[in-house]
Amino acid sequence: MRTLTRALVSVTTAVGIAAGGLATAGTAMAAPAQTQQQAVSAEAVAPLAVVNLGLSTAEAKKVQDWLKQYHGYTGARDGQLGTNSWKAFQRGLKEHHGYKDAIDGICGPNTVAALQRMLKKFWGYNGAIDGIAGSGTKAAFKRFANGNPS
């Protein structure tokens, strides 16, 4: 009887180890798919990131104050030019500086080109209207931010 009990315990233990190994193998096989899914999700969120174009938090707060006063910005005064800040900016750029794209809050090339038109007209930008936020665009944007009292 003791021999039979030992045999059953040994078989049960072996089955448990094998099942645990299979469970671990299943988890290991599922991990790459989960990692890939996270990477896709991060890419989908990327366009909504903060784009301060070289401004400090204090300077970006001044821009948000200006956007609130003139273009209906209702978001937080946090110094982070995110989606809502850029939507308000796009409304103003559409009204005054030839922005013709969607009001989507993405600071893409069309938004930057309209911003460059505004900066060229009033804030000393003398570069090309190319939609690329290079050093000249950032310097003029900084002058704009600091020319508006908070």
Side-chain angles (χ1 to χ4, degrees):
M1 183 77 167
R2 285 179 71 130
T3 307
L4 182 59
T5 302
R6 283 186 187 164
L8 285 174
V9 169
S10 296
V11 169
T12 304
T13 302
V15 169
I17 291 170
L22 289 174
T24 303
T27 303
M29 295 303 286
Q34 184 179 14
T35 302
Q36 185 178 11
Q37 183 179 9
Q38 288 173 347
V40 170
S41 297
E43 288 175 10
V45 175
L48 304 179
V50 172
V51 182
N52 277 13
L53 295 180
L55 299 184
S56 68
T57 301
E59 291 167 331
K61 284 179 180 180
K62 292 176 188 180
V63 170
Q64 288 173 323
D65 290 341
W66 181 82
L67 291 170
K68 182 176 186 167
Q69 185 174 356
Y70 295 106
H71 299 295
Y73 176 66
T74 58
R77 185 182 185 267
D78 58 6
Q80 304 295 309
L81 300 181
T83 304
N84 289 329
S85 296
W86 284 107
K87 280 182 180 180
F89 223 126
Q90 288 169 334
R91 285 191 292 272
L93 293 170
K94 187 171 212 147
E95 188 176 339
H96 301 288
H97 300 287
Y99 178 71
K100 295 181 181 357
D101 212 346
I103 305 296
D104 57 8
I106 297 170
C107 184
N110 293 337
T111 301
V112 172
L115 177 65
Q116 288 170 330
R117 283 190 285 278
M118 180 192 89
L119 296 172
K120 185 169 270 223
K121 189 171 183 179
F122 298 111
W123 298 98
Y125 175 67
N126 57 12
I129 306 297
D130 58 7
I132 299 169
S135 59
T137 302
K138 290 177 182 179
F141 193 46
K142 200 172 262 294
R143 284 192 295 277
F144 164 75
N146 289 314
N148 292 293
S150 57

